[in-house]
């Protein structure tokens, strides 16, 4: 499915601010894998997702989706294979456009955008049905500007949009981090439903160790641009926050450096 | 001269002012596409408007029919926008600077097109579409142009392609995540915008009976003024796209009526450009100042009530 071969990404090379964000990272995801990603601040989690999505080119290595090498493909062309949700709820939707307009933009992801009318009546029906499952009352507000919605509502819509047309890869970059605990739990449960329904191969970054343990079939931990822990199957089910922290200490030789992860 | 005579004289200037206002309204629609939809400040327009005037005037002077002359003028304007688009997207030059560079290029190009600083296009010798000699006729023709333009753009921005362009201007990161080639859409938007601007230039050359290298100076400011006035005018109306675009055109008319009135009242015309710029500066500052000062005041008030 997804194959990362020896990916390296260095920011500000040859300067005093040089930062090796990804250091020779290799990772293979199988079809239907739901992988949670944890790690301290600056461990390279977001860089990993952005490198896969094509936000910036990588310095070395190969990114392969379903036997197709996408390393050199620009971001907007990779979008055909990839659904994304960002940490900031403002990022995933266009604030000045209506709910239905945003959803139709996602519906046409990876398709040629010609001069036919953007939204058909049949689309509208489909959008309503999708919004209904969110149980947020949004199905009656198709022509509301997304900018008027709350962060949780926007994130829920972004999730729907990202999962449309069942992308090959579902990338979630701390998408519950900016929400209050109750909304975060709701958004996380919507995430689980969508992943289940569309059988999405998923990479989900989270700062919440418990969430990382409770969700998905595989967990990876990153530190200093490397994957230092990769646990799946039965072994993952037995994990606790304490054993994770212990494992981190053993492999990296330091304490887990994220206040948020410890507090939450 | 008594007051009544003066009033009549003033009244006589209004149809002409309205006609010119409509032309500036069309021009402002071009500015609206870049400034409001794509969120880019494009200074190409000062040059591309004159390109439209020059191409139309020269072709007609060479004996061309008015329609193909206007068509070529529009295409020439689109080429101007494309240059700015390439500077911006392909070469990574900030949009505002890319526009300034193209504007300067066009100064030379426009001089070369005309071979001199201006070209006369007298309505008596040429079959122009509109002319200041027949103001009411011009008003009707221009109004039809405006309606056609609004309808075409309403359709365009409702299509999948047009929606992608709106998304590009609204949230670039989101647009790319949805598979939209944002660079391409910016380039097309700039092309489209400058095509509209050049069309208004072609109309202006016919109406005023001349094309002059200096005519485009400050066009961007007038365009912005019309956009801003238009927004203020429709603030209480339901905001669908037709209303917004119509607002911009009416904004152009209001701008030019005010302009005409100030001129009529005897203001030194040397000061007009300065005044236009200051008015635009104030209006552009309003949203910022509101955010900065009035929200605080409001909070304080709420606090006092509590």
């Amino acid at each position: 499915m997804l194959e990362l071969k020896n990916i390296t990404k260095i920011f500000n090379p040859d300067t005093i601010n040089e930062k090796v964000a990804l250091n020779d990272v290799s990772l293979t995801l199988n079809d239907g894998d739901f992988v949670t990603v944890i790690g301290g601040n600056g461990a390279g989690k977001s860089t990993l997702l952005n490198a896969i999505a094509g936000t910036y080119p990588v310095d070395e290595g190969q990114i392969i989706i379903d036997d197709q090498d996408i390393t050199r493909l620009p971001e907007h062309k990779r979008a055909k294979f990839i659904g994304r949700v960002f940490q900031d709820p403002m990022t995933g939707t266009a604030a000045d456009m209506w709910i239905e307009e945003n959803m139709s933009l996602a519906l046409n992801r990876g398709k040629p955008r010609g001069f036919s009318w953007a939204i058909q009546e049949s689309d509208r029906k489909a959008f309503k049905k999708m919004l209904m499952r969110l149980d947020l009352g949004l199905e009656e507000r198709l022509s509301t500007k997304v900018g008027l919605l709350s962060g949780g509502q926007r994130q829920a819509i972004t999730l729907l949009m990202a999962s449309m047309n069942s992308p090959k890869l579902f990338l979630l970059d701390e998408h519950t981090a900016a929400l209050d605990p109750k909304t975060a739990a709701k958004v996380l449960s919507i995430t689980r439903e969508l992943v289940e329904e569309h059988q999405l191969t998923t990479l989900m970054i989270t700062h919440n160790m418990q969430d990382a343990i409770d969700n998905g079939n595989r967990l990876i931990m990153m530190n200093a641009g490397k994957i230092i822990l990769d646990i799946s199957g039965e072994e993952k089910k037995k994990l606790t926050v304490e054993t994770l922290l212990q494992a981190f200490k053993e492999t990296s030789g330091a304490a887990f450096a994220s206040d948020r992860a410890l507090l939450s | 001269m008594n007051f009544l005579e003066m009033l009549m004289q003033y009244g006589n200037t209004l149809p002409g002012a309205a006609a010119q206002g409509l032309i500036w309204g069309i021009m402002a629609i071009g500015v609206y596409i870049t400034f409001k939809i794509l969120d880019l400040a494009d200074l190409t327009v000062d040059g591309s408007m004159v390109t439209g005037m020059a191409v139309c005037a020269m072709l007609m002077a060479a004996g061309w029919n008015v329609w193909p002359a206007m068509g070529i003028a529009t295409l020439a304007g689109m080429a101007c926008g494309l240059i700015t688009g390439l500077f911006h997207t392909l070469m990574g030059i900030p949009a505002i600077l890319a526009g300034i560079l193209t504007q300067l290029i066009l100064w030379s190009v426009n001089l070369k097109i005309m071979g001199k600083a201006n070209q006369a296009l007298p309505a008596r010798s040429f079959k122009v579409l509109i002319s200041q000699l027949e103001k009411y006729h011009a008003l009707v023709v221009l109004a039809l142009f405006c309606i056609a333009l609004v309808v075409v753009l309403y359709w365009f921005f409702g299509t999948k392609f047009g929606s992608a362009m709106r998304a590009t201007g609204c949230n670039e990161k989101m647009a790319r995540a949805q598979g939209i080639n944002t660079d391409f859409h910016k380039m097309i938007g700039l092309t489209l915008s400058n095509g509209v601007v050049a069309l208004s230039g072609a109309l202006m050359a016919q109406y005023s009976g001349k094309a002059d290298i200096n005519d485009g100076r400050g066009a961007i400011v007038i365009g912005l003024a019309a956009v801003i006035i238009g927004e203020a005018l429709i603030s209480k109306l339901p905001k669908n796209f037709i209303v917004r675009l119509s607002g911009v055109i009416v904004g152009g008319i209001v701008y030019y009526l005010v302009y005409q009135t100030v001129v009529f009242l005897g203001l030194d015309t040397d000061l007009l450009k300065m005044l236009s710029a200051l008015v635009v500066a104030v209006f552009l500052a309003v949203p910022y100042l509101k955010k900065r000062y009035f929200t605080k005041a409001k909070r304080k008030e709420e606090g006092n009530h509590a």
Side-chain angles (χ1 to χ4, degrees):
Chain A
M1 169 70 251
L2 172 76
E3 214 182 333
L4 302 180
K5 286 184 187 166
N6 312 96
I7 298 290
T8 296
K9 175 71 195 176
I10 303 172
F11 290 113
N12 310 314
D14 303 323
T15 70
I16 195 162
N17 292 320
E18 181 173 290
K19 160 100 184 145
V20 182
L22 294 175
N23 186 357
D24 198 24
V25 171
S26 295
L27 176 70
T28 304
L29 298 193
N30 301 314
D31 263 330
D33 262 356
F34 184 169
V35 182
T36 55
V37 185
I38 54 172
N41 303 329
K45 311 177 299 279
S46 287
T47 311
L48 180 74
L49 255 59
N50 287 334
I52 297 171
T55 309
Y56 28 67
V58 294
D59 298 318
E60 275 168 51
Q62 260 185 316
I63 304 163
I64 296 162
I65 291 186
D66 272 355
D67 299 325
Q68 187 183 347
D69 187 338
I70 62 161
T71 318
R72 302 264 163 265
L73 224 52
E75 187 179 10
H76 68 269
K77 287 199 177 148
R78 294 190 201 185
K80 188 175 173 183
F81 313 111
I82 299 172
R84 270 197 288 171
V85 185
F86 307 91
Q87 176 171 358
D88 180 357
M90 305 301 140
T91 310
T93 44
D96 284 340
M97 296 173 80
W98 294 350
I99 291 179
E100 61 175 24
E101 289 176 320
N102 271 280
M103 293 179 83
S104 106
L105 284 167
L107 191 66
N108 289 295
R109 188 173 58 230
K111 297 178 191 164
R113 294 174 199 264
F115 292 100
S116 58
W117 208 243
I119 303 167
Q120 312 288 342
E121 204 45 51
S122 57
D123 297 338
R124 230 168 243 134
K125 276 198 192 114
F127 296 159
K128 269 195 181 171
K129 220 170 134 192
M130 288 182 218
L131 289 167
M132 211 113 74
R133 68 178 303 163
L134 296 182
D135 201 19
L136 296 166
L138 296 174
E139 60 274 10
E140 299 307 324
R141 302 173 65 189
L142 282 180
S143 51
T144 299
K145 265 194 198 175
V146 168
L148 298 174
L149 306 178
S150 70
Q153 289 171 324
R154 284 182 78 160
Q155 213 61 328
I157 291 176
T158 311
L159 270 170
L160 280 185
M161 287 165 56
S163 67
M164 274 185 201
N165 305 330
S166 306
K168 288 179 192 290
L169 202 56
F170 203 40
L171 301 181
L172 312 171
D173 187 355
E174 294 208 45
H175 69 305
T176 60
L179 308 172
D180 65 82
K182 203 175 149 207
T183 314
K186 165 104 185 163
V187 167
L188 197 55
S189 96
I190 297 168
T191 308
R192 272 194 301 268
E193 279 175 37
L194 289 170
V195 169
E196 180 78 15
E197 183 185 315
H198 297 272
Q199 293 294 310
L200 299 169
T201 307
T202 306
L203 268 174
M204 178 176 97
I205 299 178
T206 174
H207 63 271
N208 185 318
M209 289 207 170
Q210 197 58 53
D211 283 349
I213 293 167
D214 295 343
N215 292 281
N217 64 331
R218 189 170 162 192
L219 179 150
I220 60 178
M221 185 186 263
M222 293 188 69
N223 186 47
K226 280 183 174 297
I227 295 174
I228 55 169
L229 211 60
D230 188 341
I231 301 169
S232 54
E234 286 304 311
E235 205 185 337
K236 175 170 182 287
K237 285 180 192 153
K238 286 185 225 141
L239 280 175
T240 63
V241 172
E242 284 71 33
T243 53
L244 267 182
L245 286 173
Q246 190 58 37
F248 182 86
K249 217 171 181 178
E250 279 165 19
T251 43
S252 70
F256 194 84
S258 170
D259 308 339
R260 277 191 314 173
L262 290 176
L263 289 171
S264 50
Chain B
M1 186 165 41
N2 66 35
F3 181 71
L4 204 65
E5 272 174 356
M6 227 170 102
L7 204 64
M8 276 176 67
Q9 206 180 18
Y10 174 65
N12 283 338
T13 65
L14 293 185
Q20 293 218 45
L22 279 172
I23 299 177
W24 285 111
I26 294 176
M27 191 267 167
I29 294 268
V31 172
Y32 183 87
I33 293 173
T34 45
F35 187 66
K36 279 287 165 187
I37 295 181
L38 280 177
D39 199 20
L40 294 173
D42 174 30
L43 299 188
T44 317
V45 295
D46 280 25
S48 59
M49 182 160 187
V50 178
T51 304
M53 299 175 88
V55 170
C56 183
M58 290 313 287
L59 287 178
M60 288 190 73
W64 282 50
N65 175 279
V66 62
W67 289 102
M70 281 171 63
I72 303 283
T74 305
L75 288 177
M78 292 172 86
C80 303
L82 185 62
I83 294 172
T84 304
L86 290 173
F87 278 166
H88 178 47
T89 59
L90 220 61
M91 294 161 68
I93 301 170
I96 200 150
L97 195 52
I100 291 175
L101 293 176
T102 312
Q103 191 191 108
L104 206 60
I105 291 173
L106 290 177
W107 181 270
S108 300
V109 170
N110 292 336
L111 278 174
K112 281 292 169 199
I113 291 175
M114 293 192 286
K116 49 194 178 294
N118 53 60
Q119 166 71 39
L121 191 64
R124 287 191 183 82
S125 345
F126 294 97
K127 273 200 172 155
V128 289
L129 217 54
I130 52 169
S131 155
Q132 55 186 345
L133 301 178
E134 290 175 63
K135 294 196 170 75
Y136 288 101
H137 173 257
L139 267 178
V140 174
V141 173
L142 286 169
L144 290 176
F145 261 97
C146 288
I147 292 169
L149 189 64
V150 169
V151 169
V152 167
L153 289 180
Y154 178 76
W155 164 79
F156 177 79
F157 285 107
T159 64
K160 286 176 183 169
F161 189 91
S163 300
M165 190 178 286
R166 280 157 58 211
T168 299
C170 186
N171 183 345
E172 220 180 318
K173 201 168 174 187
M174 174 267 192
R176 275 200 297 268
Q178 300 307 338
I180 293 165
N181 186 345
T182 51
D183 279 351
F184 176 72
H185 276 91
K186 281 189 206 168
M187 218 150 63
I188 297 298
L190 285 164
T191 304
L192 186 70
S193 154
N194 283 285
V196 173
V197 170
L199 174 68
S200 82
L203 290 165
M204 184 64 93
Q206 295 174 57
Y207 182 82
S208 58
K210 63 166 179 60
D212 190 298
I213 189 76
N214 283 310
D215 279 345
R217 196 164 278 176
I220 179 72
V221 177
I222 299 177
L224 288 176
V227 169
I228 292 164
I229 294 170
E231 268 192 343
L233 289 176
I234 62 157
S235 61
K236 298 269 182 295
L237 296 174
K239 300 224 179 19
N240 73 49
F241 201 62
I242 289 197
V243 173
R244 282 173 195 274
L245 289 180
S246 310
V248 173
I249 290 175
V250 176
I253 299 174
V254 170
Y255 172 87
Y256 216 79
L257 287 176
V258 172
Y259 175 94
Q260 194 74 283
T261 307
V262 187
V263 171
F264 187 81
L265 294 175
L267 184 95
D268 183 351
T269 46
D270 287 348
L271 297 178
L272 278 172
K273 281 205 171 19
M274 181 182 82
L275 289 178
S276 307
L278 288 177
V279 168
V280 169
V282 168
F283 276 99
L284 287 178
V286 164
Y288 172 77
L289 295 175
K290 249 189 189 163
K291 211 163 127 193
R292 175 143 188 187
Y293 296 104
F294 288 88
T295 42
K296 260 189 207 159
K298 219 176 188 178
R299 251 187 242 139
K300 228 182 222 170
E301 248 170 54
E302 277 166 13
N304 288 344
H305 285 305

